Amino acid sequence: MRIVVLAGGIGGARFLRGLKQAAPDADVTVIGNTGDDIHLFGLKVCPDLDTVMYTLGGGINEEQGWGRLDETFQVKAELAAYGVGPEWFGLGDRDFATHIVRTQMLGAGYPLSAVTEALCARWKPGVRLLPMSDDRVETHVAIEVDGERQAVHFQEYWVKLRASVDAQAVVPVGAEQAKPAPGVLEAIAAADVILFPPSNPVVSIGTILAVPGIREAIAEAGVPVVGLSPIVGDAPVRGMADKVLAAIGVEATAAAVALHYGSGLLDGWLVDTVDASSVPAIEAAGIRSRAVPLMMSDADTTAAMAREALALAEEVRA
Amino acid sequence: MRIVVLAGGIGGARFLRGLKQAAPDADVTVIGNTGDDIHLFGLKVCPDLDTVMYTLGGGINEEQGWGRLDETFQVKAELAAYGVGPEWFGLGDRDFATHIVRTQMLGAGYPLSAVTEALCARWKPGVRLLPMSDDRVETHVAIEVDGERQAVHFQEYWVKLRASVDAQAVVPVGAEQAKPAPGVLEAIAAADVILFPPSNPVVSIGTILAVPGIREAIAEAGVPVVGLSPIVGDAPVRGMADKVLAAIGVEATAAAVALHYGSGLLDGWLVDTVDASSVPAIEAAGIRSRAVPLMMSDADTTAAMAREALALAEEVRA
């Protein structure tokens, strides 16, 4: 079975680990969000791709969900001693090596997709990890500070400001001109199932879908497209998805997110058992829906979620 | 008193520390060798500038003479895990931060001289440290491997091969097109004394002198130019200077190095007491010479060397 998964960072990575356990023989291609990418200290940092790579490759800091296991912070301390920031982004020494290799390869002319493949040759994530695009796309968030509208990089909004001010707009800068990375459209066309993990519907999956051609390819693939709600009981499971949902006028509910994707894209949608009452409304909109436990508390519950998603896909297909 | 010092790495840095102790009120400008510079992992590494900066700023690893105190090597280990080399160049985590800041600033368009000034704002070396040039100069060494002549970067010859094969030629690639960095010629013209520390006469001081304009400015400055022999008892005090001296047809003796610089450039030359017998020959060539202890075993003996160099300069002037 060929499965294509659109993934952001922590939520996507953990779901993928469950999926690998649930379907060990599946051929999984991950289309990773690169709108979170940022240049820090002259280095190209791809937080979502790395979170997937480290999580599936056994190198992740489990507790925080991102960054490396057994990390140290000498480089960061030295940069601070030079007065060079930002200090709000937690890059550890081991993690720095990844960004150094990536930046060196990009500088030598390799596209991000080739760089990602090279990095994965070490981590062996057990999936094919593709960036959504080799072109630079950078999600910016419009906020208001002292009555003045400003645009800040997504990471500044998310990590530095902790989404503490309202997002007035979320713009994937460069997306319109971006092309899907080599292999992305081919993987979608060849897929048996396409899954949206409980990743952020705006800044993760929404950004991937903003690359011209990807949304259309998914809609036209003619295979079940099934998602899992990142909203449980009217609140994001993790992160601050409600903040960016508000920016695009979508309520932070499991049903509203499903309707936002829409039946033109989505065939099935899993909501948590606490949101079971929203199933009829989702189904009325033409999206098959089931209520199952959606908390990724450990590997087994996450694998169970993946099995439910694959079962719903088969139901849709039949 | 305004003193200009041409410096390589370890020898130059240690001499400068002695000079600061010997002449605490002097206004010292250091013209640093950049021919050893190398791009590693996409980062610009300036070993000689950094050795001077770390040594005078209190951040040097005293035992090895280069690199940072209390260093760790996580980044390097990770790069090796990615299969990315070279592994023979010992970059530590703290040191990496310096190269990251430098590379970022160079990428933003700052010349190396401005970058060096910014880095020194942290280290406060107590001297004005100038790279010899903002232009790229890279010392290459011609060697013969299996009957084939090859050119390798100086660091590859020095650090990887440990100068274990004969150097057939030493070429400061790019020197002919390089311009002295801003401030270099002005500092020389304004100097009261110019010193050559016991740095490598070929790949350190020789490279600085290969930048068009610097040698001429020193020769025409009209102030005492005094050097200290890096060769003691027919052997280099440290390093493998004999290997690169052979490549340019100069004997590894205190006298031969003095004659190599020549009386057109050099006014005074200190040799070690074990080489006292060479003083007459050096003086016969028109270079005033004295035999004094030249081993930089500790701060006090190094300061004494610096005082001897300044005393010889005053003798020359009088």
Side-chain angles (χ1 to χ4, degrees), chain A residues 41 68 72 74-75 78 81-82 93-94 97-98 101 104 122-123, chain B residues 41 68 72 74-75 78-79 81-82 93-94 97-98 104 122-123:
Chain A
F41 315 109
R68 292 290 310 280
T72 55
Q74 299 280 15
V75 175
E78 287 293 318
Y82 278 116
D93 298 329
R94 292 178 188 274
T98 300
V101 173
Q104 184 180 18
R122 169 187 174 192
W123 289 104
Chain B
F41 315 109
R68 292 290 310 280
T72 54
Q74 299 278 16
V75 175
E78 287 293 318
L79 291 169
Y82 278 116
D93 298 328
R94 293 178 186 273
T98 301
Q104 184 181 16
R122 169 186 175 193
W123 289 104

PDB file of all heavy atoms in Angstrom, chain A residues 41 68 72 74-75 78 81-82 93-94 97-98 101 104 122-123, chain B residues 41 68 72 74-75 78-79 81-82 93-94 97-98 104 122-123:
ATOM      1  N   PHE A  41      21.395  32.714  11.899  1.00  0.00           N
ATOM      2  CA  PHE A  41      22.860  32.741  11.922  1.00  0.00           C
ATOM      3  C   PHE A  41      23.447  32.367  10.567  1.00  0.00           C
ATOM      4  O   PHE A  41      24.505  31.761  10.472  1.00  0.00           O
ATOM      5  CB  PHE A  41      23.400  31.791  13.004  1.00  0.00           C
ATOM      6  CG  PHE A  41      22.676  31.895  14.314  1.00  0.00           C
ATOM      7  CD1 PHE A  41      21.840  30.884  14.747  1.00  0.00           C
ATOM      8  CD2 PHE A  41      22.798  33.026  15.097  1.00  0.00           C
ATOM      9  CE1 PHE A  41      21.142  30.982  15.949  1.00  0.00           C
ATOM     10  CE2 PHE A  41      22.109  33.132  16.299  1.00  0.00           C
ATOM     11  CZ  PHE A  41      21.286  32.119  16.733  1.00  0.00           C
ATOM     12  N   ARG A  68      17.199  17.729  19.320  1.00  0.00           N
ATOM     13  CA  ARG A  68      17.908  16.465  19.489  1.00  0.00           C
ATOM     14  C   ARG A  68      17.959  15.965  20.930  1.00  0.00           C
ATOM     15  O   ARG A  68      18.051  16.746  21.875  1.00  0.00           O
ATOM     16  CB  ARG A  68      19.344  16.614  18.947  1.00  0.00           C
ATOM     17  CG  ARG A  68      19.441  16.789  17.434  1.00  0.00           C
ATOM     18  CD  ARG A  68      19.071  15.507  16.723  1.00  0.00           C
ATOM     19  NE  ARG A  68      19.796  14.396  17.282  1.00  0.00           N
ATOM     20  CZ  ARG A  68      21.051  14.101  16.990  1.00  0.00           C
ATOM     21  NH1 ARG A  68      21.706  14.810  16.094  1.00  0.00           N
ATOM     22  NH2 ARG A  68      21.662  13.082  17.551  1.00  0.00           N
ATOM     23  N   THR A  72      23.313  19.667  23.743  1.00  0.00           N
ATOM     24  CA  THR A  72      24.112  20.644  24.491  1.00  0.00           C
ATOM     25  C   THR A  72      23.996  21.982  23.765  1.00  0.00           C
ATOM     26  O   THR A  72      23.534  22.033  22.622  1.00  0.00           O
ATOM     27  CB  THR A  72      25.582  20.209  24.577  1.00  0.00           C
ATOM     28  OG1 THR A  72      26.081  19.978  23.254  1.00  0.00           O
ATOM     29  CG2 THR A  72      25.725  18.933  25.406  1.00  0.00           C
ATOM     30  N   GLN A  74      26.492  24.760  23.601  1.00  0.00           N
ATOM     31  CA  GLN A  74      27.715  25.574  23.613  1.00  0.00           C
ATOM     32  C   GLN A  74      27.701  26.625  22.508  1.00  0.00           C
ATOM     33  O   GLN A  74      28.056  27.771  22.723  1.00  0.00           O
ATOM     34  CB  GLN A  74      28.951  24.693  23.401  1.00  0.00           C
ATOM     35  CG  GLN A  74      29.158  23.647  24.468  1.00  0.00           C
ATOM     36  CD  GLN A  74      29.794  24.216  25.713  1.00  0.00           C
ATOM     37  OE1 GLN A  74      29.843  25.429  25.902  1.00  0.00           O
ATOM     38  NE2 GLN A  74      30.260  23.341  26.578  1.00  0.00           N
ATOM     39  N   VAL A  75      27.336  26.220  21.300  1.00  0.00           N
ATOM     40  CA  VAL A  75      27.377  27.153  20.171  1.00  0.00           C
ATOM     41  C   VAL A  75      26.454  28.338  20.452  1.00  0.00           C
ATOM     42  O   VAL A  75      26.837  29.497  20.292  1.00  0.00           O
ATOM     43  CB  VAL A  75      26.978  26.456  18.858  1.00  0.00           C
ATOM     44  CG1 VAL A  75      26.902  27.473  17.717  1.00  0.00           C
ATOM     45  CG2 VAL A  75      27.957  25.343  18.505  1.00  0.00           C
ATOM     46  N   GLU A  78      27.866  30.743  22.929  1.00  0.00           N
ATOM     47  CA  GLU A  78      28.940  31.546  22.329  1.00  0.00           C
ATOM     48  C   GLU A  78      28.372  32.619  21.414  1.00  0.00           C
ATOM     49  O   GLU A  78      28.878  33.750  21.379  1.00  0.00           O
ATOM     50  CB  GLU A  78      29.887  30.645  21.532  1.00  0.00           C
ATOM     51  CG  GLU A  78      30.772  29.791  22.396  1.00  0.00           C
ATOM     52  CD  GLU A  78      31.775  30.621  23.187  1.00  0.00           C
ATOM     53  OE1 GLU A  78      32.349  31.564  22.618  1.00  0.00           O
ATOM     54  OE2 GLU A  78      31.964  30.327  24.373  1.00  0.00           O
ATOM     55  N   ALA A  81      27.339  35.315  23.458  1.00  0.00           N
ATOM     56  CA  ALA A  81      28.495  36.079  23.954  1.00  0.00           C
ATOM     57  C   ALA A  81      28.986  37.067  22.898  1.00  0.00           C
ATOM     58  O   ALA A  81      29.566  38.103  23.215  1.00  0.00           O
ATOM     59  CB  ALA A  81      29.613  35.124  24.365  1.00  0.00           C
ATOM     60  N   TYR A  82      28.777  36.739  21.635  1.00  0.00           N
ATOM     61  CA  TYR A  82      29.117  37.672  20.547  1.00  0.00           C
ATOM     62  C   TYR A  82      28.008  38.706  20.349  1.00  0.00           C
ATOM     63  O   TYR A  82      28.117  39.561  19.476  1.00  0.00           O
ATOM     64  CB  TYR A  82      29.331  36.914  19.231  1.00  0.00           C
ATOM     65  CG  TYR A  82      30.698  36.297  19.084  1.00  0.00           C
ATOM     66  CD1 TYR A  82      30.865  34.923  19.005  1.00  0.00           C
ATOM     67  CD2 TYR A  82      31.839  37.105  19.003  1.00  0.00           C
ATOM     68  CE1 TYR A  82      32.122  34.354  18.865  1.00  0.00           C
ATOM     69  CE2 TYR A  82      33.100  36.537  18.871  1.00  0.00           C
ATOM     70  CZ  TYR A  82      33.230  35.168  18.798  1.00  0.00           C
ATOM     71  OH  TYR A  82      34.475  34.611  18.666  1.00  0.00           O
ATOM     72  N   ASP A  93      23.750  22.090  19.868  1.00  0.00           N
ATOM     73  CA  ASP A  93      24.975  21.794  19.123  1.00  0.00           C
ATOM     74  C   ASP A  93      24.761  20.685  18.089  1.00  0.00           C
ATOM     75  O   ASP A  93      25.206  20.798  16.950  1.00  0.00           O
ATOM     76  CB  ASP A  93      26.092  21.394  20.094  1.00  0.00           C
ATOM     77  CG  ASP A  93      26.431  22.522  21.061  1.00  0.00           C
ATOM     78  OD1 ASP A  93      26.296  23.696  20.666  1.00  0.00           O
ATOM     79  OD2 ASP A  93      26.801  22.226  22.210  1.00  0.00           O
ATOM     80  N   ARG A  94      24.088  19.618  18.502  1.00  0.00           N
ATOM     81  CA  ARG A  94      23.858  18.510  17.560  1.00  0.00           C
ATOM     82  C   ARG A  94      22.990  18.983  16.400  1.00  0.00           C
ATOM     83  O   ARG A  94      23.243  18.653  15.238  1.00  0.00           O
ATOM     84  CB  ARG A  94      23.158  17.347  18.263  1.00  0.00           C
ATOM     85  CG  ARG A  94      24.027  16.654  19.306  1.00  0.00           C
ATOM     86  CD  ARG A  94      23.231  15.536  20.000  1.00  0.00           C
ATOM     87  NE  ARG A  94      23.952  14.973  21.119  1.00  0.00           N
ATOM     88  CZ  ARG A  94      24.838  13.977  21.006  1.00  0.00           C
ATOM     89  NH1 ARG A  94      25.068  13.430  19.825  1.00  0.00           N
ATOM     90  NH2 ARG A  94      25.473  13.523  22.065  1.00  0.00           N
ATOM     91  N   ALA A  97      24.677  20.964  13.631  1.00  0.00           N
ATOM     92  CA  ALA A  97      25.391  20.192  12.608  1.00  0.00           C
ATOM     93  C   ALA A  97      24.493  19.914  11.411  1.00  0.00           C
ATOM     94  O   ALA A  97      24.929  20.013  10.251  1.00  0.00           O
ATOM     95  CB  ALA A  97      25.922  18.890  13.202  1.00  0.00           C
ATOM     96  N   THR A  98      23.231  19.589  11.682  1.00  0.00           N
ATOM     97  CA  THR A  98      22.279  19.338  10.595  1.00  0.00           C
ATOM     98  C   THR A  98      22.161  20.587   9.715  1.00  0.00           C
ATOM     99  O   THR A  98      22.186  20.499   8.481  1.00  0.00           O
ATOM    100  CB  THR A  98      20.895  18.964  11.175  1.00  0.00           C
ATOM    101  OG1 THR A  98      21.042  17.788  11.968  1.00  0.00           O
ATOM    102  CG2 THR A  98      19.875  18.719  10.065  1.00  0.00           C
ATOM    103  N   VAL A 101      25.335  21.184   7.610  1.00  0.00           N
ATOM    104  CA  VAL A 101      25.405  20.297   6.433  1.00  0.00           C
ATOM    105  C   VAL A 101      24.420  20.771   5.371  1.00  0.00           C
ATOM    106  O   VAL A 101      24.750  20.888   4.179  1.00  0.00           O
ATOM    107  CB  VAL A 101      25.093  18.833   6.820  1.00  0.00           C
ATOM    108  CG1 VAL A 101      24.993  17.962   5.568  1.00  0.00           C
ATOM    109  CG2 VAL A 101      26.156  18.291   7.761  1.00  0.00           C
ATOM    110  N   GLN A 104      25.558  24.039   3.715  1.00  0.00           N
ATOM    111  CA  GLN A 104      26.700  23.794   2.836  1.00  0.00           C
ATOM    112  C   GLN A 104      26.249  23.158   1.524  1.00  0.00           C
ATOM    113  O   GLN A 104      26.674  23.572   0.446  1.00  0.00           O
ATOM    114  CB  GLN A 104      27.710  22.879   3.539  1.00  0.00           C
ATOM    115  CG  GLN A 104      28.976  22.645   2.719  1.00  0.00           C
ATOM    116  CD  GLN A 104      29.971  21.735   3.416  1.00  0.00           C
ATOM    117  OE1 GLN A 104      29.625  21.012   4.346  1.00  0.00           O
ATOM    118  NE2 GLN A 104      31.209  21.761   2.970  1.00  0.00           N
ATOM    119  N   ARG A 122      21.393   9.240   6.666  1.00  0.00           N
ATOM    120  CA  ARG A 122      21.896   8.927   8.003  1.00  0.00           C
ATOM    121  C   ARG A 122      20.766   8.446   8.920  1.00  0.00           C
ATOM    122  O   ARG A 122      20.926   7.481   9.650  1.00  0.00           O
ATOM    123  CB  ARG A 122      22.546  10.160   8.621  1.00  0.00           C
ATOM    124  CG  ARG A 122      22.845   9.954  10.087  1.00  0.00           C
ATOM    125  CD  ARG A 122      23.326  11.203  10.771  1.00  0.00           C
ATOM    126  NE  ARG A 122      23.462  10.956  12.200  1.00  0.00           N
ATOM    127  CZ  ARG A 122      23.636  11.893  13.109  1.00  0.00           C
ATOM    128  NH1 ARG A 122      23.719  13.151  12.724  1.00  0.00           N
ATOM    129  NH2 ARG A 122      23.749  11.587  14.378  1.00  0.00           N
ATOM    130  N   TRP A 123      19.640   9.152   8.891  1.00  0.00           N
ATOM    131  CA  TRP A 123      18.601   8.910   9.889  1.00  0.00           C
ATOM    132  C   TRP A 123      17.694   7.723   9.572  1.00  0.00           C
ATOM    133  O   TRP A 123      17.026   7.197  10.455  1.00  0.00           O
ATOM    134  CB  TRP A 123      17.746  10.179  10.085  1.00  0.00           C
ATOM    135  CG  TRP A 123      18.532  11.233  10.795  1.00  0.00           C
ATOM    136  CD1 TRP A 123      19.099  12.350  10.255  1.00  0.00           C
ATOM    137  CD2 TRP A 123      18.905  11.237  12.174  1.00  0.00           C
ATOM    138  NE1 TRP A 123      19.781  13.064  11.204  1.00  0.00           N
ATOM    139  CE2 TRP A 123      19.675  12.397  12.402  1.00  0.00           C
ATOM    140  CE3 TRP A 123      18.656  10.392  13.255  1.00  0.00           C
ATOM    141  CZ2 TRP A 123      20.203  12.722  13.650  1.00  0.00           C
ATOM    142  CZ3 TRP A 123      19.178  10.709  14.494  1.00  0.00           C
ATOM    143  CH2 TRP A 123      19.936  11.862  14.683  1.00  0.00           C
TER     144      TRP A 123
ATOM    145  N   PHE B  41      33.017  23.048   5.889  1.00  0.00           N
ATOM    146  CA  PHE B  41      31.577  22.884   6.143  1.00  0.00           C
ATOM    147  C   PHE B  41      30.814  24.131   5.719  1.00  0.00           C
ATOM    148  O   PHE B  41      29.806  24.489   6.339  1.00  0.00           O
ATOM    149  CB  PHE B  41      31.330  22.582   7.631  1.00  0.00           C
ATOM    150  CG  PHE B  41      32.262  21.548   8.206  1.00  0.00           C
ATOM    151  CD1 PHE B  41      33.258  21.892   9.106  1.00  0.00           C
ATOM    152  CD2 PHE B  41      32.155  20.220   7.804  1.00  0.00           C
ATOM    153  CE1 PHE B  41      34.121  20.933   9.613  1.00  0.00           C
ATOM    154  CE2 PHE B  41      33.011  19.258   8.311  1.00  0.00           C
ATOM    155  CZ  PHE B  41      33.999  19.621   9.218  1.00  0.00           C
ATOM    156  N   ARG B  68      39.691  26.790  21.373  1.00  0.00           N
ATOM    157  CA  ARG B  68      39.123  27.369  22.583  1.00  0.00           C
ATOM    158  C   ARG B  68      39.356  26.525  23.833  1.00  0.00           C
ATOM    159  O   ARG B  68      39.383  25.301  23.789  1.00  0.00           O
ATOM    160  CB  ARG B  68      37.624  27.578  22.372  1.00  0.00           C
ATOM    161  CG  ARG B  68      37.253  28.649  21.354  1.00  0.00           C
ATOM    162  CD  ARG B  68      37.563  30.028  21.862  1.00  0.00           C
ATOM    163  NE  ARG B  68      37.024  30.213  23.193  1.00  0.00           N
ATOM    164  CZ  ARG B  68      35.752  30.498  23.451  1.00  0.00           C
ATOM    165  NH1 ARG B  68      34.908  30.691  22.481  1.00  0.00           N
ATOM    166  NH2 ARG B  68      35.342  30.617  24.701  1.00  0.00           N
ATOM    167  N   THR B  72      34.256  21.621  23.536  1.00  0.00           N
ATOM    168  CA  THR B  72      33.533  20.363  23.349  1.00  0.00           C
ATOM    169  C   THR B  72      33.413  20.122  21.842  1.00  0.00           C
ATOM    170  O   THR B  72      33.672  21.024  21.038  1.00  0.00           O
ATOM    171  CB  THR B  72      32.128  20.426  23.989  1.00  0.00           C
ATOM    172  OG1 THR B  72      31.433  21.571  23.464  1.00  0.00           O
ATOM    173  CG2 THR B  72      32.226  20.554  25.502  1.00  0.00           C
ATOM    174  N   GLN B  74      30.681  18.343  19.976  1.00  0.00           N
ATOM    175  CA  GLN B  74      29.419  17.722  19.554  1.00  0.00           C
ATOM    176  C   GLN B  74      29.152  17.950  18.067  1.00  0.00           C
ATOM    177  O   GLN B  74      28.745  17.036  17.365  1.00  0.00           O
ATOM    178  CB  GLN B  74      28.240  18.321  20.338  1.00  0.00           C
ATOM    179  CG  GLN B  74      28.324  18.110  21.843  1.00  0.00           C
ATOM    180  CD  GLN B  74      27.843  16.734  22.261  1.00  0.00           C
ATOM    181  OE1 GLN B  74      27.731  15.840  21.418  1.00  0.00           O
ATOM    182  NE2 GLN B  74      27.599  16.563  23.526  1.00  0.00           N
ATOM    183  N   VAL B  75      29.345  19.167  17.611  1.00  0.00           N
ATOM    184  CA  VAL B  75      29.035  19.475  16.211  1.00  0.00           C
ATOM    185  C   VAL B  75      29.895  18.604  15.298  1.00  0.00           C
ATOM    186  O   VAL B  75      29.401  17.986  14.351  1.00  0.00           O
ATOM    187  CB  VAL B  75      29.259  20.969  15.903  1.00  0.00           C
ATOM    188  CG1 VAL B  75      29.044  21.242  14.420  1.00  0.00           C
ATOM    189  CG2 VAL B  75      28.330  21.846  16.746  1.00  0.00           C
ATOM    190  N   GLU B  78      28.710  15.082  15.123  1.00  0.00           N
ATOM    191  CA  GLU B  78      27.492  14.963  14.316  1.00  0.00           C
ATOM    192  C   GLU B  78      27.804  15.066  12.826  1.00  0.00           C
ATOM    193  O   GLU B  78      27.205  14.355  12.012  1.00  0.00           O
ATOM    194  CB  GLU B  78      26.499  16.060  14.708  1.00  0.00           C
ATOM    195  CG  GLU B  78      25.843  15.836  16.047  1.00  0.00           C
ATOM    196  CD  GLU B  78      24.925  14.625  16.042  1.00  0.00           C
ATOM    197  OE1 GLU B  78      24.189  14.448  15.070  1.00  0.00           O
ATOM    198  OE2 GLU B  78      24.964  13.866  17.020  1.00  0.00           O
ATOM    199  N   LEU B  79      28.700  15.979  12.479  1.00  0.00           N
ATOM    200  CA  LEU B  79      29.075  16.104  11.070  1.00  0.00           C
ATOM    201  C   LEU B  79      29.669  14.783  10.586  1.00  0.00           C
ATOM    202  O   LEU B  79      29.369  14.318   9.480  1.00  0.00           O
ATOM    203  CB  LEU B  79      30.073  17.246  10.883  1.00  0.00           C
ATOM    204  CG  LEU B  79      29.489  18.648  11.116  1.00  0.00           C
ATOM    205  CD1 LEU B  79      30.606  19.694  11.179  1.00  0.00           C
ATOM    206  CD2 LEU B  79      28.496  19.019  10.013  1.00  0.00           C
ATOM    207  N   ALA B  81      28.942  11.890  11.767  1.00  0.00           N
ATOM    208  CA  ALA B  81      27.827  10.936  11.665  1.00  0.00           C
ATOM    209  C   ALA B  81      27.086  11.119  10.342  1.00  0.00           C
ATOM    210  O   ALA B  81      26.501  10.176   9.815  1.00  0.00           O
ATOM    211  CB  ALA B  81      26.863  11.109  12.842  1.00  0.00           C
ATOM    212  N   TYR B  82      27.104  12.338   9.808  1.00  0.00           N
ATOM    213  CA  TYR B  82      26.510  12.585   8.482  1.00  0.00           C
ATOM    214  C   TYR B  82      27.487  12.197   7.365  1.00  0.00           C
ATOM    215  O   TYR B  82      27.146  12.347   6.192  1.00  0.00           O
ATOM    216  CB  TYR B  82      26.145  14.061   8.331  1.00  0.00           C
ATOM    217  CG  TYR B  82      24.813  14.445   8.966  1.00  0.00           C
ATOM    218  CD1 TYR B  82      24.755  15.332  10.024  1.00  0.00           C
ATOM    219  CD2 TYR B  82      23.623  13.909   8.477  1.00  0.00           C
ATOM    220  CE1 TYR B  82      23.542  15.689  10.600  1.00  0.00           C
ATOM    221  CE2 TYR B  82      22.406  14.260   9.046  1.00  0.00           C
ATOM    222  CZ  TYR B  82      22.373  15.150  10.104  1.00  0.00           C
ATOM    223  OH  TYR B  82      21.174  15.486  10.662  1.00  0.00           O
ATOM    224  N   ASP B  93      32.970  23.119  19.397  1.00  0.00           N
ATOM    225  CA  ASP B  93      31.663  23.791  19.383  1.00  0.00           C
ATOM    226  C   ASP B  93      31.795  25.299  19.604  1.00  0.00           C
ATOM    227  O   ASP B  93      31.158  26.095  18.909  1.00  0.00           O
ATOM    228  CB  ASP B  93      30.763  23.187  20.466  1.00  0.00           C
ATOM    229  CG  ASP B  93      30.497  21.709  20.216  1.00  0.00           C
ATOM    230  OD1 ASP B  93      30.454  21.309  19.040  1.00  0.00           O
ATOM    231  OD2 ASP B  93      30.344  20.951  21.192  1.00  0.00           O
ATOM    232  N   ARG B  94      32.620  25.695  20.579  1.00  0.00           N
ATOM    233  CA  ARG B  94      32.781  27.128  20.842  1.00  0.00           C
ATOM    234  C   ARG B  94      33.398  27.824  19.627  1.00  0.00           C
ATOM    235  O   ARG B  94      33.000  28.916  19.245  1.00  0.00           O
ATOM    236  CB  ARG B  94      33.689  27.350  22.055  1.00  0.00           C
ATOM    237  CG  ARG B  94      33.077  26.866  23.365  1.00  0.00           C
ATOM    238  CD  ARG B  94      34.058  27.078  24.513  1.00  0.00           C
ATOM    239  NE  ARG B  94      33.570  26.496  25.748  1.00  0.00           N
ATOM    240  CZ  ARG B  94      32.765  27.134  26.610  1.00  0.00           C
ATOM    241  NH1 ARG B  94      32.379  28.360  26.365  1.00  0.00           N
ATOM    242  NH2 ARG B  94      32.362  26.540  27.710  1.00  0.00           N
ATOM    243  N   ALA B  97      31.089  28.634  16.717  1.00  0.00           N
ATOM    244  CA  ALA B  97      30.271  29.848  16.841  1.00  0.00           C
ATOM    245  C   ALA B  97      30.985  31.035  16.190  1.00  0.00           C
ATOM    246  O   ALA B  97      30.364  31.849  15.497  1.00  0.00           O
ATOM    247  CB  ALA B  97      29.967  30.133  18.309  1.00  0.00           C
ATOM    248  N   THR B  98      32.294  31.134  16.390  1.00  0.00           N
ATOM    249  CA  THR B  98      33.061  32.216  15.770  1.00  0.00           C
ATOM    250  C   THR B  98      32.935  32.146  14.247  1.00  0.00           C
ATOM    251  O   THR B  98      32.717  33.166  13.583  1.00  0.00           O
ATOM    252  CB  THR B  98      34.543  32.105  16.177  1.00  0.00           C
ATOM    253  OG1 THR B  98      34.636  32.190  17.603  1.00  0.00           O
ATOM    254  CG2 THR B  98      35.382  33.205  15.532  1.00  0.00           C
ATOM    255  N   GLN B 104      28.273  34.456   8.552  1.00  0.00           N
ATOM    256  CA  GLN B 104      27.021  35.198   8.407  1.00  0.00           C
ATOM    257  C   GLN B 104      27.305  36.650   8.035  1.00  0.00           C
ATOM    258  O   GLN B 104      26.665  37.209   7.146  1.00  0.00           O
ATOM    259  CB  GLN B 104      26.227  35.128   9.716  1.00  0.00           C
ATOM    260  CG  GLN B 104      24.861  35.789   9.620  1.00  0.00           C
ATOM    261  CD  GLN B 104      24.080  35.740  10.926  1.00  0.00           C
ATOM    262  OE1 GLN B 104      24.623  35.487  11.986  1.00  0.00           O
ATOM    263  NE2 GLN B 104      22.792  35.976  10.837  1.00  0.00           N
ATOM    264  N   ARG B 122      34.100  41.579  21.207  1.00  0.00           N
ATOM    265  CA  ARG B 122      33.859  40.679  22.328  1.00  0.00           C
ATOM    266  C   ARG B 122      35.157  40.342  23.062  1.00  0.00           C
ATOM    267  O   ARG B 122      35.209  40.349  24.279  1.00  0.00           O
ATOM    268  CB  ARG B 122      33.226  39.375  21.825  1.00  0.00           C
ATOM    269  CG  ARG B 122      33.199  38.323  22.914  1.00  0.00           C
ATOM    270  CD  ARG B 122      32.726  36.969  22.422  1.00  0.00           C
ATOM    271  NE  ARG B 122      32.849  36.002  23.506  1.00  0.00           N
ATOM    272  CZ  ARG B 122      32.750  34.693  23.342  1.00  0.00           C
ATOM    273  NH1 ARG B 122      32.512  34.204  22.143  1.00  0.00           N
ATOM    274  NH2 ARG B 122      32.881  33.881  24.365  1.00  0.00           N
ATOM    275  N   TRP B 123      36.209  40.024  22.303  1.00  0.00           N
ATOM    276  CA  TRP B 123      37.417  39.471  22.907  1.00  0.00           C
ATOM    277  C   TRP B 123      38.348  40.527  23.494  1.00  0.00           C
ATOM    278  O   TRP B 123      39.199  40.212  24.309  1.00  0.00           O
ATOM    279  CB  TRP B 123      38.168  38.599  21.881  1.00  0.00           C
ATOM    280  CG  TRP B 123      37.428  37.336  21.607  1.00  0.00           C
ATOM    281  CD1 TRP B 123      36.685  37.040  20.500  1.00  0.00           C
ATOM    282  CD2 TRP B 123      37.315  36.211  22.484  1.00  0.00           C
ATOM    283  NE1 TRP B 123      36.121  35.804  20.630  1.00  0.00           N
ATOM    284  CE2 TRP B 123      36.495  35.270  21.841  1.00  0.00           C
ATOM    285  CE3 TRP B 123      37.833  35.911  23.744  1.00  0.00           C
ATOM    286  CZ2 TRP B 123      36.175  34.046  22.417  1.00  0.00           C
ATOM    287  CZ3 TRP B 123      37.517  34.696  24.318  1.00  0.00           C
ATOM    288  CH2 TRP B 123      36.692  33.780  23.655  1.00  0.00           C
TER     289      TRP B 123
END
